[in-house]
Amino acid sequence: MRFTFTGFRQDGGSRVLSYEALGGDGVRTLFTVRVDLELSRQYKIRLQELPLLCVSVLERRTGEERDLVFTEEAMARSVEEAARAQEAEAAKAAPQKRRVKKEADTYDPYEATPMPPPKYGSGW
C-alpha cells in the first residue's frame, strides 16, 4: 500500500493525522493516526516529523484497523532507530586516518633546490 498524507486536525492535546492508502487493486482507504503531543515533546519529536513517523506506524499495523494510535513504545522505537541511523551516518562520514609518510615521500618546501636556467630571450 502507498500512503498519502491528506491533513490533520487538532483534538485537545492530540493531533489526528489523516492518510489515504492506495492499494494494489486501486481501492482507496482512509486511515487516521492519533498522536499525543505531550509524548512527542518528551521524546523530542518535532511536529514536522510526525507525518512521516506515522506512515511507519501505518506500515507496521496488523489487522484491518483504520484508526491507529502512535504509542509511546512506537515513539521510543522511532527515536532509537533515528539515533542508530545518525550514528551510522556519522561513522561513515568520519575522516580517514592519514597514512604515515615514508622518508622518500617527505617534501620540505624550504629545502634549497637549484633554479632552472633562464629561457633564451627572456628578460630582454
Side-chain angles (χ1 to χ4, degrees), residues 46-100:
R46 296 181 296 182
L47 288 175
Q48 306 91 296
E49 297 171 351
L50 286 176
L52 187 59
L53 292 174
C54 289
V55 169
S56 68
V57 171
L58 289 169
E59 289 173 343
R60 292 179 179 162
R61 79 189 191 321
T62 57
E64 296 297 320
E65 66 270 9
R66 294 197 181 157
D67 297 321
L68 303 162
V69 176
F70 193 15
T71 63
E72 187 172 0
E73 294 84 21
M75 283 186 198
R77 182 176 54 238
S78 297
V79 169
E80 287 174 12
E81 288 173 358
R84 274 186 267 149
Q86 189 176 18
E87 287 174 4
E89 187 65 30
K92 186 170 81 172
Q96 296 180 355
K97 294 182 180 178
R98 294 182 177 209
R99 63 183 179 91
V100 178

